[in-house]
Amino acid sequence: MLHIVACIKQVPDTKIIKMNPKTNTMDRASAPAILNPYDAHAVEEAVRLKQRYGGTVSVLTMGPPPAVKAIRKCIEIGADEGYMISDRAFAGADTLATSYALTKALNKIAKERPIDLIICGKMTIDGDTGQVGPGIARRLDIPPLTSVKKIVEIDKEKGIAILHRKLEDGYEVVSSTMPCLFSVEKDINEVPYSTMPNMLRAARYNPHIWSVNDLEDVDKAQLGLKGSPTIVSSVWAPQKPQGGQMLDGKAADQVSQLLGIMLEKKELFQVKGESTS
Amino acid sequence: MSFEDYRGVWVFMEVKDGAIVPVAKELLGAGRQLADKRKTELAGVLIGDGVSALAEEAIYYGADQVYVYDAPIFKHYRTETYMRALLACTEKYKPEIILYGATSTGKDLASAVATDLPTGLTADTTQLDVEEDTGLLLASRPAFGGNIMATILCKKYRPQMATVRPKVVRALPRDASRIGTITRESIELREEDVRTKVLEIVRQTVQRVRIDEADIIVAGGKGLGSPAGFQLIHEFADVIGAAVGASRDVVEAGWIGHHHQVGQTGVTVTPKIYFAIGISGAIQHIVGMQNSGLIIAINKDPGALIFQSCHYGIVGDAFEIVPMLIEQFKHALGKESSYARKV
């Protein structure tokens, strides 16, 4: 029986977030909070492994109280248990402080039920770093395996996992001792529509919520903004582009204008090292 | 930790298929500027099996110093082994800055090293600068889906680290007359103590032209309506010998694979010509293609943001314009065979 923990995050949907052009800040109210899309694949993969090998899927998140919604979404996908660490002390954490807090929570979860495997999404769409997964693995001193696109086999008895890691032009087959941590690619699976029983369970589900004082052996100096080595010193709007020259007229005119421009710029087609003919 | 003990700018020299990857050379170019500003040394850290011969290449591209870990245990990239080497090297020589390409290997390694040191790590940087007197690295990157740019600092720890996107900084021209020092390093690592093994590497047929290396890219967006409509992009790309790019929407809808995605969460591209067809021009797409040589946008919506980021724009229906372009190009390319060969 496996115990798999998926680490997840609730994020603003950056695709539709609006910016306040005057203050250069994000209007968070303009974007709905969603389960980080990459994390849905992490949870789905954990659920699939549970179906294959039996066991329990837990999800863990750090966030403000409304992040319970993201945990419920994971229950819909098929997770069994949800854990959330929520405290002002965690606020403003960068990736290093985040991996520290999550590791403390994982230690507490593992006390109740030892963990065989941790699965994270490739990255979050608000932070875009992909650094928290490997950070957790280093803190727990277990192998971090990033870019995982397929899990071939989990052999708990032998303590070996075999998986595919995506490369730029293919993949590599890797074996790792267990426990270990996977950061999974989006194409590892497709997240199906939730089943009705899962949806009903999710609607009523209340996760375990821990504050900083519920965690053991915590050095508070390593938490939140205080514990974050990186700071954002300034934000600015990306340079506004000047806008291009529009080609007017009927479609045929537009096309011939464009063709003319491109033929003029024939040197752009020049292959390196070849002289202009 | 006394900051005075930390000197020098380092670049992780990622190697793939027996060659230094392009982004590592680019980072030597950027690192050279940072090191000169700080009046300090630029070093490359080269890890692998049979990589010693590449050390001189790092010098030709700007390094003053190359630390080389060359041993069979480093044959394949593994977080554990590479991390041990880099941590040992960092402890021994104490650099003030370490830069990595934001490739899957670079990001994997940097994340692990940052946790162990510990220090701050800025991901996917697109602009780099350093404060001359304090040595503070100014690492800027698009944040929140490219909606804003943010400058990230690491004031309390050394070394400062960042992963840097490919193709955002320039490599120096290769200069084989440059001279530098090559230092061989080693660490005690036994294969039986390493917890991961690479069992096999499977190379899959790559798409005809990789978008990050293509001179011409034809990219399509949601405006093409359907996977069937998106075929027009493939057809056009075929005719002009271009690679196919796509917006995030299209990739998420499953019309085309992830490795075609251009933008903040996809690939950054700098082709000579970039066609954006039926792409609205969300900021997260723009940040991935804005440095292309010539950007041509075709979109039905005259208010589409893409028109602000293009060099030439056509307001019109892609299904009317593109087939005409295909015909015209076929005609033009057919007439001028030398031209066709180059395209």
Side-chain angles (χ1 to χ4, degrees):
Chain A
M1 300 291 265
L2 293 172
H3 183 205
I4 308 165
V5 181
C7 296
I8 62 122
K9 188 184 182 191
Q10 188 181 53
V11 295
D13 191 342
T14 50
K15 240 193 297 187
I16 46 180
I17 200 162
K18 289 197 176 69
M19 300 297 294
N20 181 331
K22 285 196 186 118
T23 59
N24 244 336
T25 51
M26 282 164 306
D27 177 12
R28 278 183 182 268
S30 72
I34 56 169
L35 171 65
N36 176 42
Y38 291 96
D39 298 346
H41 296 276
V43 177
E44 172 66 17
E45 198 58 26
V47 170
R48 289 183 187 203
L49 289 175
K50 175 189 146 179
Q51 285 162 355
R52 252 161 88 185
Y53 299 105
T56 308
V57 173
S58 303
V59 296
L60 167 65
T61 195
M62 176 171 93
V68 167
K69 242 183 92 184
I71 290 190
R72 293 210 175 102
K73 180 70 199 167
C74 299
I75 301 287
E76 273 189 26
I77 297 172
D80 301 297
E81 295 292 339
Y83 298 85
M84 177 161 125
I85 54 171
S86 190
D87 201 302
R88 281 184 187 280
F90 302 132
D94 73 355
T95 56
L96 197 75
T98 300
S99 70
Y100 180 77
L102 289 174
T103 300
K104 294 299 169 188
L106 287 162
N107 285 337
K108 187 173 165 93
I109 294 172
K111 264 197 171 171
E112 291 175 17
R113 189 185 276 140
I115 299 168
D116 300 296
L117 196 58
I118 299 169
I119 307 185
C120 301
K122 180 191 177 72
M123 60 182 181
T124 58
I125 60 165
D126 62 343
D128 270 349
T129 72
Q131 290 168 190
V132 172
I136 291 170
R138 284 308 309 147
R139 289 183 183 282
L140 293 170
D141 194 19
I142 60 174
L145 294 141
T146 54
S147 309
V148 175
K149 54 167 251 174
K150 185 179 176 177
I151 297 168
V152 181
E153 198 189 344
I154 300 288
D155 189 333
K156 187 176 172 177
E157 261 175 39
K158 287 189 192 149
I160 292 284
I162 297 176
L163 54 119
H164 292 178
R165 283 187 75 231
K166 189 177 187 170
L167 304 172
E168 273 86 2
D169 54 356
Y171 62 90
E172 60 181 17
V173 186
V174 178
S175 77
S176 171
T177 58
M178 287 170 60
C180 52
L181 180 143
F182 298 155
S183 296
V184 298
E185 295 288 317
K186 253 183 155 174
D187 42 10
I188 192 166
N189 57 43
E190 275 186 36
V191 185
Y193 288 110
S194 310
T195 63
M196 191 51 82
N198 282 355
M199 286 169 80
L200 290 174
R201 180 162 181 265
R204 288 191 298 257
Y205 186 80
N206 288 312
H208 311 261
I209 300 176
W210 295 329
S211 71
V212 65
N213 293 325
D214 295 318
L215 303 178
E216 285 170 26
D217 192 24
V218 174
D219 170 13
K220 289 190 179 173
Q222 294 193 49
L223 293 175
L225 195 60
K226 263 201 322 279
S228 299
T230 58
I231 53 164
V232 178
S233 80
S234 59
V235 292
W236 73 91
Q239 222 175 359
K240 273 263 156 55
Q242 297 302 304
Q245 181 190 330
M246 303 306 289
L247 307 178
D248 299 323
K250 288 205 175 106
D253 301 332
Q254 292 173 319
V255 168
S256 63
Q257 283 180 63
L258 180 57
L259 206 72
I261 290 161
M262 298 200 53
L263 291 176
E264 255 175 51
K265 293 187 185 283
K266 226 164 83 174
E267 76 281 358
L268 288 174
F269 291 82
Q270 191 69 40
V271 177
K272 262 179 219 153
E274 214 175 302
S275 62
T276 317
S277 52
Chain B
M1 167 186 303
S2 166
F3 283 7
E4 278 76 55
D5 299 341
Y6 290 79
R7 291 294 283 161
V9 177
W10 285 12
V11 175
F12 167 59
M13 305 304 302
E14 184 180 342
V15 174
K16 193 167 175 271
D17 299 330
I20 294 169
V21 301
V23 66
K25 295 176 188 169
E26 292 160 20
L27 290 185
L28 287 174
R32 185 72 264 164
Q33 289 182 3
L34 301 182
D36 289 347
K37 216 164 160 183
R38 287 285 293 152
K39 300 184 178 61
T40 184
E41 187 180 80
L42 175 67
V45 183
L46 185 59
I47 307 170
D49 181 19
V51 293
S52 296
L54 299 173
E56 285 183 345
E57 282 300 307
I59 292 168
Y60 298 161
Y61 280 97
D64 304 308
Q65 166 75 255
V66 187
Y67 301 108
V68 184
Y69 290 82
D70 193 340
I73 203 162
F74 300 122
K75 182 167 197 283
H76 299 295
Y77 172 76
R78 286 179 292 177
T79 317
E80 215 168 340
T81 53
Y82 277 54
M83 178 193 80
R84 295 278 169 229
L86 191 50
L87 283 171
C89 204
T90 303
E91 199 176 316
K92 192 167 169 186
Y93 297 107
K94 296 188 169 41
E96 54 191 290
I97 291 169
I98 310 180
L99 306 176
Y100 309 73
T103 59
S104 46
T105 293
K107 293 172 94 162
D108 183 287
L109 178 62
S111 301
V113 170
T115 312
D116 274 55
L117 279 171
T119 191
L121 170 62
T122 303
D124 282 295
T125 309
T126 58
Q127 290 175 32
L128 289 168
D129 201 356
V130 69
E131 279 184 11
E132 222 172 303
D133 44 347
T134 62
L136 202 57
L137 179 70
L138 312 172
S140 304
R141 62 174 307 227
F144 291 96
N147 287 296
I148 52 170
M149 288 291 293
T151 301
I152 317 284
L153 310 177
C154 171
K155 287 186 172 168
K156 288 184 282 188
Y157 294 82
R158 292 290 181 277
Q160 309 162 85
M161 307 210 305
T163 61
V164 184
R165 283 218 149 197
K167 300 215 172 195
V168 298
V169 290
R170 269 178 209 285
L172 297 167
R174 184 176 184 274
D175 176 359
S177 68
R178 274 189 55 89
I179 296 166
T181 315
I182 297 170
T183 311
R184 290 184 161 276
E185 297 287 337
S186 66
I187 46 163
E188 288 251 339
L189 258 184
R190 290 183 315 175
E191 184 56 50
E192 53 270 34
D193 296 334
V194 184
R195 294 174 293 184
T196 55
K197 316 268 173 231
V198 176
L199 306 176
E200 190 188 355
I201 292 194
V202 181
R203 305 273 186 214
Q204 286 169 321
T205 2
V206 237
Q207 67 267 35
R208 278 158 301 176
V209 193
R210 280 180 50 166
I211 57 168
D212 55 346
E213 291 168 359
D215 281 340
I216 311 175
I217 293 174
V218 178
K222 256 301 174 44
L224 292 150
S226 67
F230 197 81
Q231 287 309 308
L232 188 63
I233 299 296
H234 289 285
E235 202 187 320
F236 185 29
D238 271 352
V239 169
I240 60 172
V244 172
S247 69
R248 180 164 79 178
D249 284 344
V250 162
V251 170
E252 282 181 359
W255 297 2
I256 192 166
H258 287 102
H259 49 278
H260 293 275
Q261 185 178 327
V262 173
Q264 165 75 359
T265 50
V267 185
T268 303
V269 297
T270 50
K272 293 173 179 171
I273 304 175
Y274 189 90
F275 285 95
I277 301 172
I279 291 178
S280 62
I283 183 73
Q284 83 88 25
H285 184 79
I286 303 295
V287 296
M289 46 62 88
Q290 60 195 357
N291 295 326
S292 305
L294 179 67
I295 300 168
I296 296 154
I298 302 170
N299 202 298
K300 252 196 299 212
D301 174 11
L305 282 171
I306 192 75
F307 290 127
Q308 292 176 15
S309 301
C310 69
H311 297 102
Y312 295 99
I314 292 179
V315 177
D317 183 354
F319 294 102
E320 186 183 0
I321 306 281
V322 178
M324 290 167 81
L325 271 175
I326 290 173
E327 278 316 302
Q328 294 277 350
F329 267 101
K330 272 186 183 163
H331 188 64
L333 298 176
K335 253 201 223 160
E336 264 189 77
S337 58
S338 63
Y339 183 72
R341 207 176 48 242
K342 280 174 202 160
V343 174

